[in-house]
Amino acid sequence: MLTLMQVKNKSASRLTGLHPVVRSAATALIERCYKLNIPILITQGLRTIAEQDALYAQGRTKPGAIVTNARGGYSYHNFGLAVDFALLLQNGSSVSWDMRRDDNNNQIADWQEVVKEAKALGFEWGGDWTSFKDYPHFQMAFGLTLTQLRAGAKPSISAVESAYKVINRKEEEELKSDIIAVVKVNGVKVADGVLEKGITYVPVRIIAEALGAQVGYDSATRTVEITSTH
């Protein structure tokens, strides 16, 4: 079985360029699904306008099946606010989009378990759309429309802080202490930490990823690895 670090490394390149909150949520999704014995692969992250236009042409002016109704600038992928995923099979080299698979044998489709975890992290699921359903797709809009994003709008500080709060909720609930310290990175709150004897304790992943680094844990050696992406 692949280690968590190996699973995360397979998605690492596709997390580049994502909004920090989306990257943090996608990483948390990989970790939470791994705990459920459902390894996943992020198959798409940031998509350029040109890449989006090429994808839109598929099935229309180019060979292939239609896979998107969004032209360049009309997808949250184009602004680093969306990811697509697939189930990573046990051989570590193949993926599946079979929404009925139950490889962890708990009588619940793995795909639906991933969707549940993604929604708990604040993602919107493309499978809930009424017009064009996009089952591998998750996005965070931060209250912004695509028209606003094309005009240059950015997620507000308050929207970003709210998103981090949702992402970190499960971890913060596990911190049993009445003494809480607010932790900010570049002026944006990313977590609540525990303040004890002058030392602030906070999950290392939250801080590292807010600074653009990647974090992994090797359970065999009990080693936390922080890798800078800059």
Side-chain angles (χ1 to χ4, degrees):
M1 180 177 178
L2 295 176
T3 67
L4 175 58
M5 178 60 74
Q6 290 173 321
V7 171
K8 292 173 70 173
N9 284 343
K10 288 181 177 293
S11 295
S13 63
R14 297 174 186 89
L15 301 183
T16 301
L18 291 175
H19 188 284
V21 176
V22 179
R23 183 175 63 239
S24 181
T27 301
L29 180 62
I30 294 170
E31 294 172 348
R32 292 187 186 185
C33 290
Y34 186 85
K35 290 181 180 178
L36 297 173
N37 293 318
I38 307 174
I40 65 171
L41 177 73
I42 301 302
T43 59
Q44 183 72 70
L46 176 67
R47 188 185 295 145
T48 67
I49 300 296
E51 289 171 338
Q52 187 69 40
D53 283 333
L55 197 62
Y56 180 78
Q58 182 177 317
R60 295 181 173 89
T61 58
K62 293 182 178 180
I66 291 178
V67 293
T68 181
N69 282 341
R71 293 170 291 163
Y74 288 79
S75 168
Y76 284 93
H77 279 289
N78 304 150
F79 304 96
L81 301 180
V83 297
D84 293 340
F85 85 99
L87 302 174
L88 184 62
L89 302 186
Q90 296 300 323
N91 61 21
S93 58
S94 303
V95 297
S96 172
W97 286 270
D98 183 352
M99 296 175 62
R100 297 170 297 180
R101 291 185 74 95
D102 180 24
D103 286 346
N104 63 355
N105 299 311
N106 67 347
Q107 311 307 310
I108 303 172
D110 294 346
W111 198 277
Q112 293 304 321
E113 291 189 80
V114 176
V115 169
K116 180 180 179 181
E117 292 297 330
K119 289 183 176 181
L121 286 163
F123 277 117
E124 172 189 345
W125 180 42
D128 288 329
W129 298 344
T130 55
S131 56
F132 180 85
K133 291 187 180 294
D134 192 351
Y135 295 105
H137 181 90
F138 299 125
Q139 67 182 41
M140 288 187 178
F142 297 100
L144 296 172
T145 65
L146 288 166
T147 299
Q148 291 173 316
L149 290 168
R150 288 195 300 274
K154 304 292 184 183
S156 67
I157 290 178
S158 60
V160 169
E161 289 182 344
S162 295
Y164 271 123
K165 185 176 181 179
V166 172
I167 295 168
N168 300 329
R169 183 179 296 153
K170 181 181 288 188
E171 291 177 341
E172 290 177 352
E173 287 175 352
E174 295 174 355
L175 296 176
K176 305 299 182 180
S177 175
D178 294 328
I179 305 176
I180 300 296
V182 173
V183 180
K184 294 184 177 182
V185 174
N186 297 324
V188 176
K189 178 184 175 181
V190 297
D192 287 323
V194 177
L195 183 62
E196 183 178 334
K197 296 181 180 180
I199 300 175
T200 302
Y201 295 92
V202 67
V204 64
R205 176 179 60 78
I206 296 171
I207 301 302
E209 290 179 357
L211 293 171
Q214 297 176 5
V215 179
Y217 178 69
D218 188 328
S219 58
T221 61
R222 296 186 177 182
T223 302
V224 175
E225 298 183 19
I226 301 176
T227 306
S228 174
T229 58
H230 300 294

